[in-house]
């Protein structure tokens, strides 16, 4: 990457016809906010992504925002990406699908970083952070939406900062734009501490964002990231933890699934059985999910921000509904876990659904610590939660008795469709598991491996070191 100054402002007006229309539309929104910064510092990819370069974002512009002291908004640097949306409309990066839907992935990223005293130029490390997120979107085809969280596990600026994770929200100033290639919204990255990320996972991202807005040093109304912040919002105001706990109790969690390090084994069948269609043992090559299964799991991984009266997994045999607003993940984006149909599942005819007698679930520590969230925040509220393996097609979905469209039932609580396992847990068993898994709620490192077993339910769970999963075949 290299730093340049773009041809914008008065010079750009004379070259407007030469500017790609998608690029020009975003520049126009930036000029509306910063009419006196026609020539901002900009980071650009030396070799464009569409020419084989590693960086998906063609440009990242950096503006100086004076803030508004009267509204408790401090001075800061404002970063805006160019490239997640369709800038060119000629299929060089994104497939042009018309003007009615989203342009490219339908959004660009922004970031607001507190300006330090005496700082005359914006730090450029946020540009690489944004490129990293863009690479994830392009490689996984998972999009972002407001309220999402990103577990980064490292200071965002590679310092010793406690700001090591991110939430995403609508940019408070930039308005969605309509381009010749579709609509573009602007999602702002918000740096958060580990405790704040965990609260967002256990409750919901929107709730934590609202708490951050009310704490000046933690972001304030415009959610400006301060990499020198040394206290969490719960350190600053202990009463905020009570609000989170109350939200979890009354609303549950909106986190419906995560990408994880996980595998599962069918203990009711000998490993030499060649007909076993499970994801099977560590080190083996998992079989591929059907396209319909993949789409259903993708749908299950979306945030359920708008809940219908009944919670339902999207039926495998039903086409997924299309929406025009960008959501997670691509290509079909829908801001709800719910299917529009409660029809019974008709599994893919080439992959049979099998009922299992006994299963063994294996998670790494990070995934294992989310089990109490899965049980308390999701299943006790009549919802479902999915772990999708980052090492292959393995998926594990926990469902409650109130979830429609599941192929696991109370009579057969463990059921597999290829490498996708569903586990149905009754409320009574969930309460029992929560008591047994209580130590996973602690933030301290747990000595691994840890094993939990419920012989009467024929269920076993192991929490294992990361190195075990790193040896899995992709």
């Amino acid at each position: 990457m290299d730093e340049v100054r773009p041809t914008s402002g008065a010079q750009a007006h004379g070259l407007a016809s030469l500017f790609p229309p998608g690029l020009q539309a975003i520049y126009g929104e930036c000029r509306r906010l910063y009419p006196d910064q026609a020539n901002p510092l900009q980071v650009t990819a030396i070799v464009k992504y569409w020419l084989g370069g590693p960086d998906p974002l063609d440009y990242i512009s950096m503006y100086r925002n004076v803030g508004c002291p009267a509204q408790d908004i401090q001075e800061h640097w404002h970063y805006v990406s160019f490239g997640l949306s369709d800038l060119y409309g000629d299929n060089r990066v994104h497939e042009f699908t018309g003007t009615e839907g989203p342009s490219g992935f339908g959004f660009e990223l922004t970031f607001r970083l507190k300006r330090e005293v005496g700082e005359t130029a914006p730090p450029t490390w946020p540009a690489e952070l944004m490129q990293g997120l863009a690479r994830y979107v392009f490689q996984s085809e998972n999009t972002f939406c407001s309220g999402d969280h990103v577990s980064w596990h490292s200071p965002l600026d590679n310092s010793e900062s406690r700001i090591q994770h991110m939430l995403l929200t609508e940019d408070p100033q930039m308005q969605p734009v309509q381009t010749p290639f579709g609509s573009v919204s602007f999602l702002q990255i918000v740096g958060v501490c580990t405790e704040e990320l965990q609260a967002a996972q256990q409750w919901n991202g929107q709730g934590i964002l609202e708490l951050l807005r009310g704490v000046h040093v933690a972001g304030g109304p415009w959610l400006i990231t301060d990499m020198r912040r040394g206290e969490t919002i719960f350190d600053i105001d202990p009463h905020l933890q009570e609000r989170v706990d109350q939200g979890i109790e009354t609303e549950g969690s909106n986190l419906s699934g995560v990408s994880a390090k996980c595998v599962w084994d069918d203990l009711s069948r000998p490993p030499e059985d060649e007909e076993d269609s499970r994801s099977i043992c560590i080190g083996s090559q998992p079989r591929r999910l059907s396209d319909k299964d993949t789409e259903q799991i993708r749908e299950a991984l979306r945030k359920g921000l708008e809940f219908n009266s009944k919670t339902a997994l999207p039926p495998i045999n039903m086409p997924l509904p299309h929406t025009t607003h960008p959501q997670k993940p691509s290509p079909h984006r829908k801001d709800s876990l719910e299917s529009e149909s409660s029809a019974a599942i008709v599994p893919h005819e080439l992959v049979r659904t099998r009922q299992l007698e006994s299963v063994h679930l294996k998670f790494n520590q990070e995934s294992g610590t989310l089990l109490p969230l899965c049980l308390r925040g999701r299943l006790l509220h009549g919802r479902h939660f999915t772990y999708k393996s980052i090492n292959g097609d393995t998926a594990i979905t926990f469902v409650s008795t109130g979830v429609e469209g599941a192929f696991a039932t109370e009579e057969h609580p463990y059921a597999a469709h290829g490498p996708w396992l569903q586990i149905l847990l009754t409320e009574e068993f969930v309460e029992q598991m929560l008591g047994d898994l209580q130590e996973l709620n602690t933030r301290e490192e747990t000595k691994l491996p840890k094993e939990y077993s419920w012989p009467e339910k024929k269920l076993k769970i192991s929490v294992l070191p990361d190195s075990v999963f790193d040896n899995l075949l992709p």
Side-chain angles (χ1 to χ4, degrees):
M1 297 176 70
D2 195 12
E3 294 175 24
V4 301
R5 293 191 177 277
T7 53
S8 57
Q11 186 178 0
H13 285 297
L15 298 175
S17 62
L18 300 180
F19 268 49
L23 186 68
Q24 186 67 17
I26 300 172
Y27 272 145
E29 177 61 12
C30 293
R31 285 195 296 270
R32 182 186 68 82
L33 288 183
Y34 303 105
D36 58 340
Q37 298 183 56
N39 192 32
L41 190 66
Q42 191 175 66
V43 175
T44 182
I46 298 175
V47 180
K48 298 295 186 285
Y49 194 70
W50 37 276
L51 292 175
D55 299 318
L57 301 176
D58 282 7
Y59 312 100
I60 295 131
S61 288
M62 301 175 283
Y63 297 90
R64 182 169 177 172
N65 192 305
V66 297
C68 181
Q71 299 180 38
D72 201 26
I73 297 166
Q74 56 196 325
E75 189 171 353
H76 60 279
W77 304 109
H78 192 195
Y79 300 75
V80 182
S81 78
F82 297 78
L84 285 161
S85 63
D86 192 349
L87 304 179
Y88 306 99
D90 57 7
N91 296 317
R92 73 177 72 179
V93 179
H94 300 279
E95 181 182 357
F96 176 59
T97 56
T99 61
E100 299 301 318
S103 169
F105 289 106
F107 69 98
E108 294 290 351
L109 293 170
T110 73
F111 182 59
R112 296 176 185 267
L113 177 67
K114 179 184 176 182
R115 177 178 171 269
E116 300 297 339
V117 176
E119 211 167 41
T120 58
T124 57
W125 63 261
E128 182 53 41
L129 181 74
M130 296 167 85
Q131 290 284 15
L133 291 178
R135 280 190 286 269
Y136 164 78
V137 172
F138 273 83
Q139 292 168 9
S140 68
E141 294 190 336
N142 290 340
T143 64
F144 293 123
C145 63
S146 180
D148 278 355
H149 72 269
V150 179
S151 303
W152 200 250
H153 299 289
S154 178
L156 304 188
D157 61 352
N158 294 316
S159 68
E160 299 299 319
S161 174
R162 290 187 70 179
I163 308 300
Q164 301 188 8
H165 308 280
M166 292 165 272
L167 297 178
L168 290 134
T169 187
E170 296 93 349
D171 189 283
Q173 285 187 295
M174 301 195 73
Q175 300 174 2
V177 297
Q178 185 65 38
T179 80
F181 316 129
S183 60
V184 182
S185 60
F186 297 92
L187 284 179
Q188 179 177 317
I189 300 163
V190 181
V192 296
C193 302
T194 298
E195 294 83 354
E196 294 155 358
L197 172 83
Q198 292 171 340
Q201 292 174 328
Q202 294 163 7
W203 183 24
N204 63 71
Q206 297 289 7
I208 300 305
L209 287 165
E210 193 57 36
L211 297 183
L212 289 166
R213 288 187 182 98
V215 181
H216 173 76
V217 297
W222 287 5
L223 294 171
I224 298 163
T225 298
D226 180 1
M227 294 303 298
R228 296 188 178 184
R229 174 162 69 95
E231 294 181 306
T232 72
I233 57 173
F234 308 113
D235 296 328
I236 297 167
D237 184 354
H239 294 293
L240 296 182
Q241 184 62 56
E242 298 175 9
R243 292 179 61 181
V244 173
D245 293 340
Q246 183 180 9
I248 296 171
E249 185 69 25
T250 58
E251 303 167 21
S253 171
N254 279 351
L255 182 65
S256 59
V258 292
S259 298
K261 292 183 178 181
C262 62
V263 293
W264 61 271
D265 292 330
D266 177 4
L267 299 182
S268 55
R269 176 171 297 209
E272 64 272 11
D273 189 338
E274 295 182 358
E275 294 301 316
D276 189 357
S277 62
R278 60 190 168 89
S279 172
I280 214 141
C281 297
I282 293 175
S284 65
Q285 177 67 44
R287 299 190 182 186
R288 301 291 296 176
L289 282 170
S290 71
D291 290 342
K292 291 183 178 180
D293 281 359
T294 299
E295 282 303 310
Q296 186 182 359
I297 293 173
R298 282 182 169 182
E299 188 76 0
L301 286 171
R302 296 175 188 168
K303 300 287 188 300
L305 302 181
E306 298 173 0
F307 289 100
N308 296 332
S309 58
K310 294 183 178 180
T311 301
L313 283 165
I316 294 176
N317 65 312
M318 297 295 292
L320 295 179
H322 292 245
T323 57
T324 57
H325 54 282
Q327 293 298 334
K328 180 183 183 177
S330 174
H332 306 311
R333 298 149 183 165
K334 185 186 179 207
D335 194 16
S336 173
L337 285 173
E338 276 45 76
S339 165
E340 293 183 350
S341 168
S342 59
I345 282 184
V346 180
H348 192 282
E349 61 182 3
L350 298 180
V351 182
R352 63 191 177 92
T353 298
R354 297 188 301 105
Q355 283 77 43
L356 314 179
E357 293 183 11
S358 179
V359 294
H360 183 189
L361 313 181
K362 303 173 184 178
F363 302 96
N364 75 331
Q365 181 160 15
E366 182 179 4
S367 302
T369 58
L370 292 176
L371 284 168
L373 155 68
C374 161
L375 300 173
R376 178 180 292 107
R378 297 295 297 178
L379 269 65
L380 286 183
H381 291 265
R383 301 172 189 166
H384 51 84
F385 190 90
T386 296
Y387 288 94
K388 173 66 177 67
S389 174
I390 63 174
N391 296 98
D393 276 342
T394 304
I396 302 169
T397 297
F398 292 89
V399 299
S400 65
T401 53
V403 174
E404 296 182 354
F407 46 80
T409 65
E410 289 193 58
E411 184 180 1
H412 300 288
Y414 312 131
H417 193 74
W420 181 15
L421 174 69
Q422 283 188 9
I423 298 180
L424 187 146
L425 302 176
T426 63
E427 183 175 341
E428 180 182 5
F429 189 25
V430 168
E431 294 284 5
Q432 179 185 347
M433 291 179 68
L434 280 170
D436 296 338
L437 299 174
Q438 189 171 2
E439 64 181 329
L440 295 179
N441 276 318
T442 65
R443 293 171 181 166
E444 299 177 359
E445 289 290 319
T446 303
K447 186 176 180 180
L448 301 180
K450 298 292 293 185
E451 292 196 353
Y452 307 90
S453 181
W454 298 269
E456 72 283 2
K457 299 292 185 179
K458 299 183 179 179
L459 175 64
K460 182 178 180 181
I461 294 178
S462 296
V463 182
L464 306 170
D466 277 14
S467 58
V468 173
F469 301 88
D470 293 339
N471 294 328
L472 283 168
L473 293 173

